[in-house]
Amino acid sequence: GKDFCGRIGPMSRCFCGHDYSQHVWDKGRKKLRPACGSCACSGFRYIPRRPEEVGEYWLPRRRGFDVTLWRAKCKCGHGHEDHDPNR
C-alpha cells in the first residue's frame, strides 16, 4: 500500500534535511506535524535515513558503500535535497 509506518525518534530525518529534534510543536499541538525551528519547513515529514528502511538491505554490504552519503529517492528518482520541503 501507500502508507508507511515507522518509529519516529529525535534522530529521524525530515524532508527538509533536519532531524525531528529540531522541529517544535506549537503550544496547543493543534497542527498535525511540528514545524522546523531551523528552516521554513511547514511540518515534519519523515524520510528514511538508511537503505534498509526502504528495502535496499544489500547496499550497506557493498564494498565502498558510504551510508552517510546515501539518500532515499522519491518516485522521480531524485533525493530530498532536490525538492522543496513545503510541497
Side-chain angles (χ1 to χ4, degrees):
K2 293 181 186 178
D3 295 337
F4 173 78
C5 182
R7 226 174 247 235
I8 303 298
M11 296 303 293
S12 296
R13 188 183 304 149
C14 176
F15 201 80
C16 71
H18 295 107
D19 294 335
Y20 182 76
S21 61
Q22 294 173 294
H23 288 71
V24 291
W25 288 96
D26 62 342
K27 292 188 180 186
R29 281 197 175 209
K30 293 179 182 176
K31 293 185 178 182
L32 294 175
R33 302 176 299 173
C36 187
S38 303
C39 70
C41 170
S42 60
F44 183 82
R45 290 185 6 196
Y46 172 79
I47 59 168
R49 195 173 206 63
R50 297 190 50 89
E52 297 92 339
E53 296 175 19
V54 295
E56 297 176 345
Y57 57 88
W58 63 88
L59 284 177
R61 295 180 183 160
R62 286 187 176 175
R63 187 179 318 142
F65 179 78
D66 187 357
V67 74
T68 60
L69 299 176
W70 179 86
R71 298 293 181 258
K73 306 287 188 248
C74 67
K75 291 179 183 177
C76 72
H78 296 100
H80 72 277
E81 292 104 352
D82 299 327
H83 296 285
D84 179 12
N86 291 318
R87 288 189 167 200

